[in-house]
């Protein structure tokens, strides 16, 4: 899923629920290096996360929390529909998602 680096789109008061959802989702692929914060140049640990419907890079949760970067409207609506509680995904489902995504 592609996100845009547009700051201050997500209001400060909405960020904690979104960040929590994104951080508590299932880890699809962990490790493998770092991702560079485009604003500060700091390295952030890299992982691919999923809720079974969407896949995102873990550093996006940091970028939402720190900078309020824009996320796709359908992803935000999806999180809200789940009341910001990511579903539990079995190891078998994670394997299937990873295989389908070539990870």
């Amino acid at each position: 899923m592609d996100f845009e680096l547009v700051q201050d789109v997500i209001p400060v008061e909405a960020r904690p629920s979104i960040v929590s959802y994104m951080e508590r989702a299932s880890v699809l692929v962990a490790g493998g290096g770092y991702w560079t914060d485009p604003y500060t140049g700091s390295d952030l640990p890299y992982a691919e996360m999923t809720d079974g419907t969407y896949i995102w890079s873990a550093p996006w949760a940091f970028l939402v929390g720190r900078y309020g970067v824009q996320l796709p409207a359908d992803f935000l609506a999806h999180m809200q529909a789940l009341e910001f509680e990511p579903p539990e995904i079995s190891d078998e489902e994670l394997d299937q998602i990873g295989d389908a995504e070539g990870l």
Side-chain angles (χ1 to χ4, degrees):
M1 175 173 28
D2 294 324
F3 299 146
E4 296 182 45
L5 284 175
V6 179
Q7 294 186 51
D8 297 321
V9 175
I10 296 177
V12 172
E13 63 275 3
R15 295 176 192 178
S17 296
I18 295 166
V19 169
S20 177
Y21 181 95
M22 294 177 78
E23 290 178 341
R24 290 181 299 121
S26 296
V27 176
L28 188 55
V29 176
Y34 292 89
W35 191 82
T36 303
D37 178 336
Y39 300 109
T40 66
S42 301
D43 287 334
L44 304 170
Y46 182 80
E48 289 290 317
M49 309 294 289
T50 188
D51 62 7
T53 301
Y54 291 92
I55 297 172
W56 60 92
S57 298
W60 280 98
F62 169 81
L63 295 173
V64 168
R66 172 71 59 92
Y67 306 112
V69 295
Q70 182 172 348
L71 296 175
D74 58 334
F75 184 37
L76 290 169
H78 173 75
M79 286 188 274
Q80 187 172 20
L82 293 173
E83 298 180 356
F84 299 99
E85 288 294 329
E88 291 199 25
I89 301 173
S90 71
D91 290 341
E92 181 179 291
E93 290 171 306
L94 287 171
D95 288 343
Q96 291 172 352
I97 294 166
D99 289 346
E101 294 295 322
L103 301 174

